[in-house]
Amino acid sequence: DAGVIQSPRHEVTEMGQEVTLRCKPISGHDYLFWYRQTMMRGLELLIYFNNNVPIDDSGMPEDRFSAKMPNASFSTLKIQPSEPRDSAVYFCASSLSGAGTYEQYFGPGTRLTVT
Amino acid sequence: AQSVTQLDSHVSVSEGTPVLLRCNYSSSYSPSLFWYVQHPNKGLQLLLKYTSAATLVKGINGFEAEFKKSETSFHLTKPSAHMSDAAEYFCVVRLEYGNKLVFGAGTILRVKS
């Protein structure tokens, strides 16, 4: 399996612009997670989906952030408008329920820089 | 609520010496525990997992961890450090319900030649 795929790997944008991050989970996995990692706050869970349905979005910082999962093999995280404090590494992860082990498999991340 | 505490933010060892990264957990039930590793500018990789089977868990790259319920600990060890082990290590616990994981603050391991 190719693992979790994220694109782009790096994104540099100006404040106020819309940013869209993309994720393809491991085939067959039914959970998908979006995380943000910064030096100050560490690794934070933003939102997660089960069978394409958002289950918990309590970690989404504000209304500028939105996430969708239109099908089992694709998810997006959108920031509109972007701000410098959104600069971080954004990770997508997926897992398989029913396996009984609950481990998550992480993508390589998207490094976002907002100037 | 379930949580983990990594007792050291930084650990420095010499190549060839043992590694010990400490983690204590808080849980009202028998938890699922994990160790993940993150090399610089990389994603997180699962090292090993404990899910109520054997208390001594072996992972990749020679790492292992022992679940000690009496001490509420899940320390990560390796007999002999290699330069390639230099990375950040996260102790993780699964919340009792659902598939959410709670990550520790991380321990940065430095390996000196």
Side-chain angles (χ1 to χ4, degrees):
Chain A
D1 200 315
V4 177
I5 299 172
Q6 292 187 247
S7 64
R9 294 293 309 278
H10 301 272
E11 178 79 38
V12 180
T13 190
E14 293 183 347
M15 182 174 62
Q17 297 298 306
E18 177 179 297
V19 174
T20 299
L21 312 181
R22 297 171 175 80
C23 175
K24 177 179 170 56
I26 293 173
S27 177
H29 281 193
D30 54 347
Y31 277 84
L32 184 139
F33 305 81
W34 281 101
Y35 291 88
R36 178 172 68 176
Q37 186 178 40
T38 62
M39 289 291 291
M40 292 297 294
R41 301 173 68 92
L43 197 64
E44 305 172 276
L45 176 64
L46 301 178
I47 184 172
Y48 77 95
F49 297 81
N50 177 221
N51 291 322
N52 314 337
V53 176
I55 302 301
D56 184 348
D57 66 354
S58 59
M60 296 286 261
E62 48 198 275
D63 292 345
R64 296 185 298 106
F65 286 69
S66 62
K68 295 181 179 180
M69 192 166 185
N71 57 63
S73 59
F74 183 66
S75 177
T76 60
L77 179 68
K78 185 176 295 186
I79 309 173
Q80 166 63 16
S82 58
E83 296 182 3
R85 59 194 169 117
D86 301 329
S87 297
V89 181
Y90 291 81
F91 289 103
C92 176
S94 69
S95 70
L96 175 64
S97 68
T101 51
Y102 309 102
E103 67 263 33
Q104 295 177 16
Y105 296 86
F106 283 75
T110 296
R111 182 174 297 276
L112 173 65
T113 303
V114 183
T115 61
Chain B
Q2 293 77 40
S3 66
V4 289
T5 301
Q6 293 185 242
L7 300 174
D8 306 291
S9 59
H10 293 79
V11 170
S12 183
V13 301
S14 296
E15 190 174 23
T17 65
V19 175
L20 170 63
L21 305 183
R22 299 182 295 164
C23 174
N24 286 348
Y25 70 90
S26 172
S27 178
S28 58
Y29 70 107
S30 184
S32 294
L33 293 160
F34 309 84
W35 277 97
Y36 280 81
V37 61
Q38 185 178 28
H39 288 91
N41 301 311
K42 300 290 186 182
L44 283 81
Q45 180 184 18
L46 179 67
L47 267 182
L48 50 80
K49 60 190 177 190
Y50 167 77
T51 53
S52 73
T55 56
L56 182 62
V57 181
K58 294 187 183 299
I60 61 172
N61 300 332
F63 284 94
E64 61 182 37
E66 186 171 8
F67 175 74
K68 291 187 176 181
K69 186 175 181 179
S70 61
E71 299 176 9
T72 61
S73 69
F74 190 57
H75 301 334
L76 181 70
T77 60
K78 182 173 181 177
S80 176
H82 191 273
M83 296 297 290
S84 61
D85 295 328
E88 188 164 16
Y89 293 78
F90 294 92
C91 183
V92 183
V93 65
R94 182 182 72 90
L95 291 183
E96 183 172 3
Y97 300 107
N99 278 29
K100 288 176 68 171
L101 301 181
V102 177
F103 286 76
T107 298
I108 294 174
L109 175 64
R110 180 186 171 210
V111 182
K112 300 174 289 185
S113 59

